[in-house]
Amino acid sequence: MPVQNSNESVADILFRNKILNPQVYERVKLENLNTGKNVEDIIKEHNFASSKDIAQAKAEIFKIPYVDLKETSVSPEALNLVPEEVAKRYLCFPIKIDKEKNELSLVMKDPGDLNVIEFIELKTKKKIAPMIAPEEDIIQAIKRYYAQSLSFEVTKALKETDNGGIKSPVIDINGLGKIIREAPIAKIVSTLLEFAIKAKASDIHIEPQEDKTRIRYRIDGILHEKLVLPKAVHDAVVSRIKILSRMKIDEKRIPQDGRFSFRTGNEEIDLRVSSLPSVNGEKIVMRLLKKSGGVVSLSDLGLRGRALKIINESIYLPNGIFLVTGPTGSGKTTTLYSAISKINTSRVNIITLEDPVEYEIKGVNQVQINPAAGLTFASGLRSFLRQDPDIIMVGEIRDQETAALAIQAALTGHLVFSTLHTNSAAGALPRLLDMKVENYLLASSMLAVVGQRVVRKICTSCKEEYIPPPEVMEDIKKYLGPLFPSNKDGNKLYRGRKCPECNETGYSGRIGIFEVLPVNQVISRLILERSPASKLEAQAKQDGMVTMTEDGYLKALEGLTTIEEVLRVCRT
């Protein structure tokens, strides 16, 4: 039961935490004396403090945790214990169960209501550990989780597993086949996949922990914890996924890789599955790759103006190397697919060598590398030259041999597309020189280098204008210099208010920010001189290149993304 510290009121705590100034504090106390109204009601009525501030003050009074329900994962087992009608009536929300203590963590609007605590203790046969959150957050959580297919379906399936007797975390390998084919386990796995497709997630992480299994989804490049499963079903869920992926279910000591396809409605998804032994059990990561759906155009990716013009000119040239650079997950392959789709006709022979083939492009000969069988980027590229190609795409230049073969292919009349892991467009050229590529060969074969990152787009359903601190706008103006739009209306920026449509993040979808460095005569001369990346970038900027950060700032000023997103991915 929560213990109230009777010496302080909500107003006292808010005053101590400098949320109420002395004048407002005195006014609240005076109104409380004159009218007998509750201090909390007075503060709410006059909007002297936010509901979050009030809830945090009450948490201090009752000596209980404050919970941010937007950032908290919810256990379907806990949700199953408290019916939706009870949660709505008493404005409470269950989040987790501690089986050892036989304790249910319950987020409440009013943790001082002992009648509610006693009622739910009797109903659930669990000791209640009260927590607190603002009323509106509890209402939103009830709407979101009780209606959300993920929690509802998994809760239903877990109920069935309990009835079916899958209670022990130790599963007999001889009886495993029967367990993993049981409807509840199959239902849990298919529900996790269906939710990932609905949420447009790129990866699903199934992570065993000491007392539970955590499910996280990567949505728009950020991991979100969405669900907690009981540890008892972890092995059965993992085994179900391993069987679907044609992996060895009795091998738990070494990492394994597999893949399978999953269809829901009209969509077919290819899943790349990786298992990894960890201290608490096997961790599974599933990468979702869409089989259906067209390739996005270059302009839809976020390319425009001079950058788009240079790329369009480069990809129609008969020979040379076109490089896309950036860290893992920055959308390099998507950009290459868009470029190849644009020039894909029946008059050219296009061959790609990828790890893995992420999207199937009609009319393009796509090959997946298989190092175990001896098909690497280097060996595949050597074979490609005997296949009469016009255009070759190599998924990644990883080593000296692949780099040398790509240069050789470009010099012998082929158009070569590839990617490289460097932080900027200018950094790609010194990196290739470090791979022992001759400077004169590099200078004569390179067409253009694209550097890119992906940023989250502001949710259009809750997008709003705001006026940032003057120093922020001054920094943007100073950084952009002459690129700052002359027609920019005032000092406004944009952000998402956070709504159910964007899962309370303020963002929905992603867009690229780019820098495109064309290899002209001046850049070629700098390559011959083995100039550092800083000098190459300075020259490219002098020639009119817009850097990634500048492109990001321009997109933030237009209201496509936020300044915070640009700084997050560019780290400037």
Side-chain angles (χ1 to χ4, degrees):
M1 294 285 175
V3 180
Q4 182 168 354
N5 180 351
S6 56
N7 297 330
E8 287 188 298
S9 69
V10 168
D12 295 329
I13 301 237
L14 291 172
F15 175 61
R16 177 157 51 79
N17 293 342
K18 297 182 179 172
I19 289 157
L20 298 184
N21 62 39
Q23 294 81 7
V24 169
Y25 176 57
E26 288 303 325
R27 183 177 158 184
V28 169
K29 282 172 69 179
L30 192 64
E31 195 169 330
N32 170 247
L33 280 170
N34 291 338
T35 64
K37 270 189 192 174
N38 184 291
V39 163
E40 189 182 327
D41 292 338
I42 296 166
I43 294 166
K44 277 182 185 171
E45 195 180 309
H46 297 292
N47 285 325
F48 288 146
S50 70
S51 51
K52 181 182 175 180
D53 292 330
I54 293 167
Q56 285 175 332
K58 286 173 81 174
E60 220 173 301
I61 289 169
F62 287 107
K63 297 179 180 172
I64 58 170
Y66 169 84
V67 177
D68 184 348
L69 282 170
K70 291 168 190 168
E71 298 294 324
T72 304
S73 59
V74 175
S75 160
E77 278 188 307
L79 213 58
N80 193 30
L81 283 177
V82 180
E84 186 177 357
E85 304 74 46
V86 172
K88 280 180 177 173
R89 185 176 173 185
Y90 296 112
L91 281 176
C92 59
F93 187 74
I95 56 170
K96 65 180 177 182
I97 298 171
D98 187 328
K99 288 185 179 175
E100 282 182 19
K101 295 180 182 174
N102 192 38
E103 192 174 78
L104 173 69
S105 294
L106 189 73
V107 182
M108 303 175 69
K109 173 207 168 190
D110 181 11
D113 194 335
L114 302 181
N115 291 329
V116 172
I117 292 173
E118 194 177 333
F119 170 73
I120 294 175
E121 278 184 340
L122 283 168
K123 186 166 184 62
T124 61
K125 297 181 175 59
K126 305 262 181 227
K127 186 184 169 192
I128 298 300
M131 297 175 170
I132 192 166
E135 182 180 340
E136 58 269 29
D137 285 11
I138 294 171
I139 292 166
Q140 277 301 322
I142 292 167
K143 279 183 190 169
R144 189 162 75 246
Y145 283 96
Y146 280 103
Q148 191 185 72
S149 62
L150 180 66
S151 291
F152 177 73
E153 294 290 348
V154 173
T155 303
K156 217 163 81 175
L158 284 172
K159 229 185 214 177
E160 291 175 41
T161 62
D162 283 343
N163 296 339
I166 305 171
K167 291 176 183 174
S168 167
V170 180
I171 295 173
D172 179 6
I173 196 74
N174 299 319
L176 197 56
K178 180 176 175 288
I179 289 166
I180 59 177
R181 283 191 296 273
E182 282 184 3
I185 296 299
K187 184 64 181 169
I188 288 171
V189 173
S190 64
T191 304
L192 295 179
L193 295 173
E194 281 166 18
F195 181 81
I197 293 164
K198 281 181 199 166
K200 296 185 174 69
S202 61
D203 302 84
I204 308 170
H205 291 240
I206 300 172
E207 302 169 317
Q209 296 182 322
E210 196 177 344
D211 55 344
K212 62 186 179 185
T213 293
R214 179 171 71 168
I215 311 291
R216 293 195 291 173
Y217 291 86
R218 191 175 290 280
I219 302 166
D220 293 336
I222 305 291
L223 277 170
H224 297 270
E225 191 172 324
K226 290 288 179 186
L227 195 66
V228 173
L229 292 176
K231 194 66 187 282
V233 298
H234 179 80
D235 284 351
V237 168
V238 167
S239 296
R240 170 76 182 162
I241 292 165
K242 285 171 85 175
I243 279 201
L244 291 170
S245 315
R246 293 183 171 84
M247 288 152 69
K248 294 177 183 175
I249 60 168
D250 57 341
E251 180 55 84
K252 300 184 178 189
R253 299 163 302 167
I254 58 169
Q256 293 185 68
D257 291 306
R259 64 190 307 158
F260 68 95
S261 292
F262 180 80
R263 184 184 284 279
T264 174
N266 297 324
E267 278 196 285
E268 190 175 347
I269 303 292
D270 205 19
L271 289 113
R272 247 167 62 204
V273 184
S274 168
S275 76
L276 183 73
S278 75
V279 174
N280 296 309
E282 282 184 283
K283 179 184 189 292
I284 295 278
V285 174
M286 293 187 275
R287 164 67 57 91
L288 283 78
L289 306 167
K290 262 192 187 181
K291 276 192 171 182
S292 49
V295 175
V296 183
S297 70
L298 289 166
S299 54
D300 286 344
L301 290 177
L303 281 156
R304 62 221 178 144
R306 181 177 180 271
L308 183 58
K309 183 172 179 285
I310 292 163
I311 290 176
N312 282 331
E313 287 170 357
S314 302
I315 63 177
Y316 281 106
L317 291 170
N319 59 281
I321 296 184
F322 179 87
L323 272 184
V324 182
T325 71
T328 303
S330 59
K332 301 185 295 295
T333 308
T334 305
T335 302
L336 286 185
Y337 279 156
S338 299
I340 283 171
S341 295
K342 193 173 174 70
I343 56 176
N344 179 24
T345 69
S346 58
R347 294 189 295 275
V348 290
N349 177 20
I350 304 175
I351 309 180
T352 76
L353 187 61
E354 305 171 55
D355 180 24
V357 173
E358 292 192 16
Y359 304 100
E360 291 177 19
I361 308 171
K362 199 175 177 182
V364 175
N365 304 289
Q366 294 173 271
V367 179
Q368 181 162 320
I369 72 160
N370 185 351
L375 178 56
T376 62
F377 282 124
S379 66
L381 188 48
R382 200 178 285 109
S383 304
F384 279 12
L385 297 173
R386 296 192 289 273
Q387 285 283 321
D388 185 32
D390 297 293
I391 297 158
I392 298 170
M393 177 184 133
V394 185
E396 189 186 334
I397 294 176
R398 290 180 181 171
D399 52 43
Q400 185 181 338
E401 190 181 2
T402 311
L405 286 164
I407 297 280
Q408 184 192 329
L411 292 170
T412 52
H414 305 90
L415 182 60
V416 180
F417 291 86
S418 193
T419 71
L420 200 62
H421 284 281
T422 58
N423 288 327
S424 65
L429 302 167
R431 173 70 59 85
L432 288 168
L433 291 172
D434 289 343
M435 287 183 179
K436 310 295 180 198
V437 172
E438 294 293 348
N439 56 350
Y440 61 92
L441 296 178
L442 188 62
S444 55
S445 61
M446 289 301 301
L447 299 174
V449 187
V450 178
Q452 70 176 77
R453 300 285 190 278
V454 281
V455 291
R456 291 180 292 171
K457 287 163 74 177
I458 298 171
C459 170
T460 51
S461 300
C462 61
K463 181 175 166 181
E464 66 175 4
E465 293 179 342
Y466 75 100
I467 296 169
E471 58 270 22
V472 171
M473 218 61 195
E474 281 308 309
D475 281 348
I476 295 170
K477 283 178 183 172
K478 191 176 171 185
Y479 194 93
L480 288 175
L483 288 172
F484 191 87
S486 54
N487 60 348
K488 172 72 181 155
D489 180 28
N491 287 333
K492 289 175 185 171
L493 285 176
Y494 304 86
R495 63 187 172 199
R497 278 192 312 276
K498 300 182 181 179
C499 67
E501 286 292 314
C502 58
N503 202 25
E504 305 292 338
T505 61
Y507 298 98
S508 180
R510 292 195 285 175
I511 193 167
I513 56 173
F514 300 88
E515 59 187 25
V516 180
L517 188 156
V519 180
N520 54 28
Q521 285 185 337
V522 181
I523 298 290
S524 292
R525 194 177 68 247
L526 291 173
I527 293 170
L528 288 169
E529 294 167 3
R530 296 181 178 272
S531 300
S534 55
K535 197 169 180 182
L536 288 161
E537 186 170 301
Q539 181 58 48
K541 285 175 80 172
Q542 200 175 313
D543 294 341
M545 181 180 85
V546 175
T547 66
M548 271 183 288
T549 308
E550 288 169 345
D551 188 33
Y553 279 171
L554 290 168
K555 284 178 172 130
L557 291 171
E558 285 173 40
L560 292 171
T561 187
T562 62
I563 289 295
E564 291 80 9
E565 268 297 286
V566 177
L567 295 173
R568 178 179 71 82
V569 300
C570 288
R571 306 278 185 215
T572 55

Short mmCIF file of all heavy atoms in Angstrom, two decimals, residues 349-388:
data_model
loop_
_atom_site.label_atom_id
_atom_site.label_comp_id
_atom_site.label_asym_id
_atom_site.label_seq_id
_atom_site.Cartn_x
_atom_site.Cartn_y
_atom_site.Cartn_z
N ASN A 349 21.73 -5.02 -70.55
CA ASN A 349 21.84 -6.20 -69.68
C ASN A 349 22.37 -5.74 -68.31
O ASN A 349 23.52 -5.31 -68.20
CB ASN A 349 22.80 -7.21 -70.31
CG ASN A 349 23.02 -8.43 -69.43
OD1 ASN A 349 22.23 -8.71 -68.53
ND2 ASN A 349 24.11 -9.14 -69.65
N ILE A 350 21.50 -5.79 -67.31
CA ILE A 350 21.87 -5.35 -65.96
C ILE A 350 22.01 -6.59 -65.07
O ILE A 350 21.12 -7.43 -65.01
CB ILE A 350 20.81 -4.40 -65.35
CG1 ILE A 350 20.58 -3.19 -66.25
CG2 ILE A 350 21.23 -3.96 -63.95
CD1 ILE A 350 19.46 -2.25 -65.79
N ILE A 351 23.17 -6.70 -64.40
CA ILE A 351 23.40 -7.80 -63.45
C ILE A 351 23.75 -7.20 -62.09
O ILE A 351 24.56 -6.27 -62.01
CB ILE A 351 24.54 -8.73 -63.91
CG1 ILE A 351 24.34 -9.19 -65.34
CG2 ILE A 351 24.64 -9.94 -62.98
CD1 ILE A 351 25.44 -10.10 -65.86
N THR A 352 23.13 -7.74 -61.03
CA THR A 352 23.45 -7.25 -59.67
C THR A 352 23.99 -8.40 -58.82
O THR A 352 23.59 -9.55 -59.00
CB THR A 352 22.22 -6.65 -58.97
OG1 THR A 352 21.36 -7.70 -58.52
CG2 THR A 352 21.45 -5.70 -59.86
N LEU A 353 24.88 -8.05 -57.92
CA LEU A 353 25.45 -9.02 -56.98
C LEU A 353 25.22 -8.45 -55.58
O LEU A 353 25.77 -7.40 -55.24
CB LEU A 353 26.95 -9.18 -57.26
CG LEU A 353 27.70 -10.27 -56.49
CD1 LEU A 353 27.13 -11.64 -56.78
CD2 LEU A 353 29.17 -10.25 -56.84
N GLU A 354 24.35 -9.11 -54.80
CA GLU A 354 23.88 -8.49 -53.55
C GLU A 354 24.00 -9.43 -52.35
O GLU A 354 24.11 -10.64 -52.51
CB GLU A 354 22.40 -8.06 -53.71
CG GLU A 354 22.17 -7.15 -54.91
CD GLU A 354 20.69 -6.92 -55.17
OE1 GLU A 354 19.99 -6.48 -54.23
OE2 GLU A 354 20.23 -7.18 -56.29
N ASP A 355 23.94 -8.83 -51.17
CA ASP A 355 23.98 -9.60 -49.92
C ASP A 355 23.02 -8.98 -48.91
O ASP A 355 23.42 -8.12 -48.13
CB ASP A 355 25.41 -9.61 -49.36
CG ASP A 355 25.51 -10.39 -48.05
OD1 ASP A 355 24.65 -11.27 -47.83
OD2 ASP A 355 26.43 -10.12 -47.25
N PRO A 356 21.72 -9.37 -48.87
CA PRO A 356 21.03 -10.28 -49.79
C PRO A 356 20.33 -9.48 -50.88
O PRO A 356 20.44 -8.25 -50.91
CB PRO A 356 19.99 -10.91 -48.87
CG PRO A 356 19.60 -9.75 -47.99
CD PRO A 356 20.84 -8.91 -47.79
N VAL A 357 19.57 -10.17 -51.76
CA VAL A 357 18.71 -9.48 -52.73
C VAL A 357 17.52 -8.95 -51.93
O VAL A 357 16.72 -9.72 -51.41
CB VAL A 357 18.24 -10.45 -53.84
CG1 VAL A 357 17.22 -9.77 -54.74
CG2 VAL A 357 19.43 -10.94 -54.65
N GLU A 358 17.42 -7.61 -51.79
CA GLU A 358 16.39 -7.03 -50.93
C GLU A 358 15.06 -6.83 -51.65
O GLU A 358 14.00 -7.02 -51.08
CB GLU A 358 16.89 -5.72 -50.32
CG GLU A 358 18.01 -5.96 -49.33
CD GLU A 358 18.36 -4.74 -48.50
OE1 GLU A 358 17.55 -3.79 -48.45
OE2 GLU A 358 19.45 -4.72 -47.90
N TYR A 359 15.11 -6.36 -52.90
CA TYR A 359 13.89 -6.18 -53.69
C TYR A 359 14.13 -6.81 -55.06
O TYR A 359 15.22 -6.70 -55.61
CB TYR A 359 13.56 -4.70 -53.90
CG TYR A 359 13.41 -3.90 -52.64
CD1 TYR A 359 14.45 -3.10 -52.17
CD2 TYR A 359 12.23 -3.94 -51.90
CE1 TYR A 359 14.34 -2.37 -50.99
CE2 TYR A 359 12.10 -3.21 -50.73
CZ TYR A 359 13.15 -2.44 -50.29
OH TYR A 359 13.02 -1.72 -49.14
N GLU A 360 13.10 -7.44 -55.60
CA GLU A 360 13.22 -8.02 -56.94
C GLU A 360 12.79 -6.99 -57.97
O GLU A 360 11.69 -6.44 -57.87
CB GLU A 360 12.38 -9.30 -57.03
CG GLU A 360 12.94 -10.43 -56.18
CD GLU A 360 12.09 -11.68 -56.20
OE1 GLU A 360 11.26 -11.83 -57.12
OE2 GLU A 360 12.25 -12.51 -55.29
N ILE A 361 13.67 -6.73 -58.95
CA ILE A 361 13.37 -5.75 -59.99
C ILE A 361 13.16 -6.51 -61.30
O ILE A 361 14.05 -7.25 -61.75
CB ILE A 361 14.50 -4.71 -60.16
CG1 ILE A 361 14.84 -4.07 -58.81
CG2 ILE A 361 14.12 -3.64 -61.17
CD1 ILE A 361 16.07 -3.19 -58.83
N LYS A 362 12.00 -6.33 -61.90
CA LYS A 362 11.66 -7.04 -63.13
C LYS A 362 12.65 -6.69 -64.24
O LYS A 362 12.95 -5.52 -64.47
CB LYS A 362 10.24 -6.66 -63.56
CG LYS A 362 9.61 -7.63 -64.53
CD LYS A 362 8.17 -7.24 -64.82
CE LYS A 362 7.57 -8.17 -65.86
NZ LYS A 362 6.18 -7.78 -66.18
N GLY A 363 13.18 -7.72 -64.91
CA GLY A 363 14.08 -7.50 -66.03
C GLY A 363 15.54 -7.38 -65.65
O GLY A 363 16.41 -7.24 -66.51
N VAL A 364 15.83 -7.42 -64.33
CA VAL A 364 17.22 -7.31 -63.86
C VAL A 364 17.68 -8.68 -63.36
O VAL A 364 16.94 -9.37 -62.65
CB VAL A 364 17.35 -6.25 -62.74
CG1 VAL A 364 18.75 -6.24 -62.16
CG2 VAL A 364 16.99 -4.87 -63.27
N ASN A 365 18.88 -9.10 -63.74
CA ASN A 365 19.43 -10.39 -63.31
C ASN A 365 20.09 -10.20 -61.94
O ASN A 365 21.17 -9.63 -61.85
CB ASN A 365 20.47 -10.89 -64.31
CG ASN A 365 19.89 -10.98 -65.72
OD1 ASN A 365 19.07 -11.83 -65.99
ND2 ASN A 365 20.31 -10.07 -66.59
N GLN A 366 19.42 -10.65 -60.89
CA GLN A 366 19.90 -10.42 -59.52
C GLN A 366 20.48 -11.70 -58.93
O GLN A 366 19.85 -12.76 -58.98
CB GLN A 366 18.75 -9.89 -58.65
CG GLN A 366 18.28 -8.50 -59.09
CD GLN A 366 17.06 -8.04 -58.34
OE1 GLN A 366 15.94 -8.31 -58.75
NE2 GLN A 366 17.26 -7.33 -57.24
N VAL A 367 21.69 -11.59 -58.39
CA VAL A 367 22.41 -12.74 -57.84
C VAL A 367 22.73 -12.47 -56.38
O VAL A 367 23.16 -11.37 -56.02
CB VAL A 367 23.73 -12.98 -58.64
CG1 VAL A 367 24.51 -14.15 -58.05
CG2 VAL A 367 23.44 -13.20 -60.11
N GLN A 368 22.51 -13.49 -55.53
CA GLN A 368 22.85 -13.34 -54.12
C GLN A 368 24.18 -14.01 -53.82
O GLN A 368 24.42 -15.12 -54.28
CB GLN A 368 21.76 -13.96 -53.24
CG GLN A 368 22.07 -13.79 -51.76
CD GLN A 368 20.84 -13.99 -50.90
OE1 GLN A 368 19.75 -13.55 -51.24
NE2 GLN A 368 21.01 -14.63 -49.76
N ILE A 369 25.06 -13.34 -53.09
CA ILE A 369 26.36 -13.95 -52.79
C ILE A 369 26.18 -15.14 -51.85
O ILE A 369 25.23 -15.19 -51.06
CB ILE A 369 27.38 -12.93 -52.20
CG1 ILE A 369 27.04 -12.52 -50.76
CG2 ILE A 369 27.57 -11.73 -53.09
CD1 ILE A 369 28.23 -11.95 -50.02
N ASN A 370 27.09 -16.08 -51.95
CA ASN A 370 27.06 -17.29 -51.12
C ASN A 370 28.50 -17.67 -50.80
O ASN A 370 29.10 -18.51 -51.47
CB ASN A 370 26.34 -18.41 -51.89
CG ASN A 370 26.16 -19.66 -51.05
OD1 ASN A 370 26.69 -19.76 -49.93
ND2 ASN A 370 25.41 -20.62 -51.57
N PRO A 371 29.09 -17.03 -49.77
CA PRO A 371 30.51 -17.27 -49.46
C PRO A 371 30.82 -18.75 -49.19
O PRO A 371 31.89 -19.23 -49.54
CB PRO A 371 30.76 -16.43 -48.20
CG PRO A 371 29.68 -15.38 -48.22
CD PRO A 371 28.50 -16.05 -48.86
N ALA A 372 29.85 -19.48 -48.59
CA ALA A 372 30.07 -20.90 -48.29
C ALA A 372 30.31 -21.71 -49.57
O ALA A 372 31.05 -22.69 -49.58
CB ALA A 372 28.87 -21.46 -47.55
N ALA A 373 29.67 -21.27 -50.67
CA ALA A 373 29.83 -21.97 -51.95
C ALA A 373 30.91 -21.32 -52.82
O ALA A 373 31.11 -21.70 -53.97
CB ALA A 373 28.50 -21.98 -52.70
N GLY A 374 31.58 -20.30 -52.27
CA GLY A 374 32.66 -19.64 -53.01
C GLY A 374 32.22 -18.47 -53.86
O GLY A 374 33.01 -17.89 -54.61
N LEU A 375 30.91 -18.07 -53.74
CA LEU A 375 30.43 -16.92 -54.52
C LEU A 375 30.50 -15.67 -53.64
O LEU A 375 29.64 -15.41 -52.81
CB LEU A 375 28.99 -17.16 -54.99
CG LEU A 375 28.31 -16.03 -55.78
CD1 LEU A 375 29.11 -15.61 -56.99
CD2 LEU A 375 26.90 -16.42 -56.19
N THR A 376 31.59 -14.92 -53.81
CA THR A 376 31.79 -13.67 -53.05
C THR A 376 31.61 -12.50 -54.00
O THR A 376 31.42 -12.69 -55.21
CB THR A 376 33.21 -13.62 -52.45
OG1 THR A 376 34.15 -13.65 -53.54
CG2 THR A 376 33.47 -14.81 -51.52
N PHE A 377 31.70 -11.27 -53.47
CA PHE A 377 31.61 -10.10 -54.34
C PHE A 377 32.71 -10.14 -55.41
O PHE A 377 32.47 -9.85 -56.58
CB PHE A 377 31.71 -8.80 -53.52
CG PHE A 377 30.43 -8.44 -52.81
CD1 PHE A 377 30.40 -8.25 -51.44
CD2 PHE A 377 29.24 -8.29 -53.51
CE1 PHE A 377 29.22 -7.93 -50.78
CE2 PHE A 377 28.06 -7.96 -52.86
CZ PHE A 377 28.05 -7.78 -51.51
N ALA A 378 33.92 -10.51 -54.99
CA ALA A 378 35.06 -10.53 -55.94
C ALA A 378 34.90 -11.62 -56.99
O ALA A 378 35.01 -11.36 -58.19
CB ALA A 378 36.37 -10.70 -55.17
N SER A 379 34.60 -12.87 -56.56
CA SER A 379 34.49 -13.97 -57.53
C SER A 379 33.29 -13.78 -58.45
O SER A 379 33.34 -14.08 -59.65
CB SER A 379 34.41 -15.32 -56.81
OG SER A 379 33.20 -15.41 -56.08
N GLY A 380 32.19 -13.25 -57.89
CA GLY A 380 30.99 -12.99 -58.69
C GLY A 380 31.24 -11.93 -59.73
O GLY A 380 30.83 -12.06 -60.89
N LEU A 381 31.94 -10.88 -59.33
CA LEU A 381 32.24 -9.77 -60.26
C LEU A 381 33.13 -10.26 -61.41
O LEU A 381 32.95 -9.86 -62.56
CB LEU A 381 32.92 -8.64 -59.47
CG LEU A 381 33.17 -7.31 -60.18
CD1 LEU A 381 31.95 -6.82 -60.93
CD2 LEU A 381 33.61 -6.25 -59.18
N ARG A 382 34.06 -11.15 -61.09
CA ARG A 382 34.94 -11.71 -62.13
C ARG A 382 34.12 -12.51 -63.15
O ARG A 382 34.33 -12.41 -64.36
CB ARG A 382 36.00 -12.61 -61.47
CG ARG A 382 37.22 -12.84 -62.33
CD ARG A 382 38.27 -13.68 -61.64
NE ARG A 382 39.00 -12.93 -60.62
CZ ARG A 382 38.87 -13.12 -59.31
NH1 ARG A 382 38.04 -14.04 -58.86
NH2 ARG A 382 39.56 -12.41 -58.45
N SER A 383 33.14 -13.27 -62.66
CA SER A 383 32.27 -14.07 -63.54
C SER A 383 31.33 -13.18 -64.36
O SER A 383 31.02 -13.48 -65.51
CB SER A 383 31.41 -15.04 -62.72
OG SER A 383 32.22 -15.85 -61.92
N PHE A 384 30.88 -12.08 -63.75
CA PHE A 384 29.94 -11.18 -64.42
C PHE A 384 30.52 -10.64 -65.73
O PHE A 384 29.80 -10.41 -66.69
CB PHE A 384 29.59 -9.99 -63.51
CG PHE A 384 28.53 -10.29 -62.49
CD1 PHE A 384 28.12 -11.59 -62.23
CD2 PHE A 384 27.94 -9.27 -61.76
CE1 PHE A 384 27.14 -11.87 -61.29
CE2 PHE A 384 26.96 -9.53 -60.81
CZ PHE A 384 26.57 -10.84 -60.58
N LEU A 385 31.83 -10.39 -65.73
CA LEU A 385 32.46 -9.79 -66.92
C LEU A 385 32.38 -10.72 -68.13
O LEU A 385 32.55 -10.29 -69.27
CB LEU A 385 33.91 -9.40 -66.62
CG LEU A 385 34.07 -8.32 -65.52
CD1 LEU A 385 35.53 -8.11 -65.17
CD2 LEU A 385 33.43 -7.00 -65.96
N ARG A 386 32.09 -12.02 -67.89
CA ARG A 386 31.93 -12.96 -68.99
C ARG A 386 30.46 -13.14 -69.38
O ARG A 386 30.12 -13.99 -70.20
CB ARG A 386 32.53 -14.32 -68.59
CG ARG A 386 34.03 -14.26 -68.34
CD ARG A 386 34.65 -15.65 -68.22
NE ARG A 386 34.29 -16.33 -66.99
CZ ARG A 386 34.98 -16.20 -65.85
NH1 ARG A 386 36.04 -15.39 -65.79
NH2 ARG A 386 34.62 -16.85 -64.76
N GLN A 387 29.56 -12.34 -68.73
CA GLN A 387 28.13 -12.45 -69.00
C GLN A 387 27.61 -11.33 -69.90
O GLN A 387 26.40 -11.07 -69.95
CB GLN A 387 27.37 -12.43 -67.67
CG GLN A 387 27.46 -13.71 -66.88
CD GLN A 387 26.55 -14.79 -67.43
OE1 GLN A 387 25.42 -14.53 -67.85
NE2 GLN A 387 27.05 -16.02 -67.48
N ASP A 388 28.53 -10.65 -70.60
CA ASP A 388 28.18 -9.56 -71.53
C ASP A 388 27.26 -8.52 -70.88
O ASP A 388 26.20 -8.19 -71.41
CB ASP A 388 27.52 -10.15 -72.79
CG ASP A 388 27.25 -9.07 -73.84
OD1 ASP A 388 28.04 -8.10 -73.91
OD2 ASP A 388 26.24 -9.18 -74.57
#
